[in-house]
Amino acid sequence: MDRNKENGNERGRFGAGVLTGALVTALIICGAAGTWKVLSAIRNGDYTAASTVSEADVNEKLDRINSLIEGCYLYEDDIDEDALIDGIYSGYAEALGDPYTEYYDEEETKALYESTNGEFSGIGATMSQSLDSGEITVSNVYEDSPADKAGMKQGDVIYEVDGRSVSGQDLETVVSWIKGEQGTDVTLCVLRDGEEVELTATRDIIEVQTVSSEMKDGQIGYIAVSEFDSVTYDQFEAALEELESQGMQGLVIDLRGNPGGNLTTVTDMLKLLLPEGTIVSTKDKYGNTEEISCDGKHEFTKPLAVLVNQYSASASEIFSGAIQDYGTGTIVGMTTYGKGVVQQLMDLGDGTCLKVTIAEYYTPSGRSINGTGVEPDVEVEYEYDENNPEADNQLDKALEVVREELEE
């Protein structure tokens, strides 16, 4: 899934990297160079290309490309043969023209499975990188995490990891240095109020906080969901119960910048809100359909608004589309991303995987939002306020919608 950054403040979580290894590195598509033996391994010996191209033609052309690289390529000493082979796999998937079908090498596969589980071996903090200076700053420290126990503070500027300077490094590289095996130590040097501080944290299994919540004025609850991982359901249920115990009268659920995630997670969360009926249905290439339904036992009947924007995608659109179809709440913000297809991770048996688009999904009313998105009931474009960077006009509107319903 694509992870996008929102303009303006949009609460720093949209651009934050997770210091627990929750990064899926960008897939680099390499050029195809090698032999037919490599290509046939991809296809399990069953070459079924267009009839105008024979197996011998492909074999000859790959050998020709390989010979030209060996004979002419200036930086031959820098060639990574494993990367060339992975480039064939990657290019093969890319050639389908589907932006959501991708090949992941071993490192990327490991990171991908970690990110969907929501549990990682790391230190339990998040950080962000300044676009101007490249400075890497700690934006959040999980309570009782290894980072917290080591004395790390929000606002610390990281300048060294295990003796390696972070100057000139990108966020993903620094994250990879900080993550590691459970029980091992990592030493970080940070700048805090102009002073150098050295911290040593012992890595542990961290549950990423994908849900945050608080009670707003007028007893209106607020729950922000950053993505739909395996850990998200329990966090969402706990947040909902805590707000209810505080006397919540209405609720705003914020899905802005949420790229999606686990289908089971989002449908289980919707079972805590929707009336009896279909939550979502899917249809595969053979026309087979599958419906996921709700029994309506936990229907949410208080005023509800769901905040979305152009970066709310996939599972976020299943969530907002179902809420809109049943009239359970009001959708506020901007039209969503428009990703109405489902992917499945296929294990290739060697530590790598293929993410494949397998079905299209439909909202309870039968709508397909693929390429169009979910249109809000109340459209509000985010406006950055230079005089008050913390201002959030979209959230203000969602709260207003809930208050107005409470007053009726």
Side-chain angles (χ1 to χ4, degrees), residues 5 15 127-137 169-171:
K5 183 181 292 184
M127 64 181 176
S128 59
Q129 185 169 34
S130 169
L131 296 176
D132 297 326
S133 66
E135 195 172 74
I136 295 176
T137 304
Q169 302 293 336
D170 60 30
L171 184 60

Side-chain angles (χ1 to χ4, degrees), residues 60-137:
E60 181 183 351
K61 190 165 186 176
L62 284 172
D63 283 342
R64 192 181 309 161
I65 291 172
N66 198 49
S67 296
L68 289 170
I69 289 174
E70 289 179 350
C72 306
Y73 184 58
L74 179 61
Y75 305 108
E76 183 178 4
D77 292 341
D78 297 330
I79 292 177
D80 183 336
E81 293 184 2
D82 289 337
L84 292 178
I85 293 172
D86 277 334
I88 294 178
Y89 303 142
S90 299
Y92 200 74
E94 184 197 22
L96 293 172
D98 174 18
Y100 309 119
T101 295
E102 299 178 88
Y103 167 79
Y104 291 84
D105 64 23
E106 281 192 67
E107 183 178 344
E108 293 162 347
T109 296
K110 182 179 178 182
L112 181 63
Y113 278 113
E114 284 181 343
S115 67
T116 55
N117 288 335
E119 291 185 342
F120 317 94
S121 178
I123 67 171
T126 61
M127 64 181 176
S128 59
Q129 185 169 34
S130 169
L131 296 176
D132 297 326
S133 66
E135 195 172 74
I136 295 176
T137 304

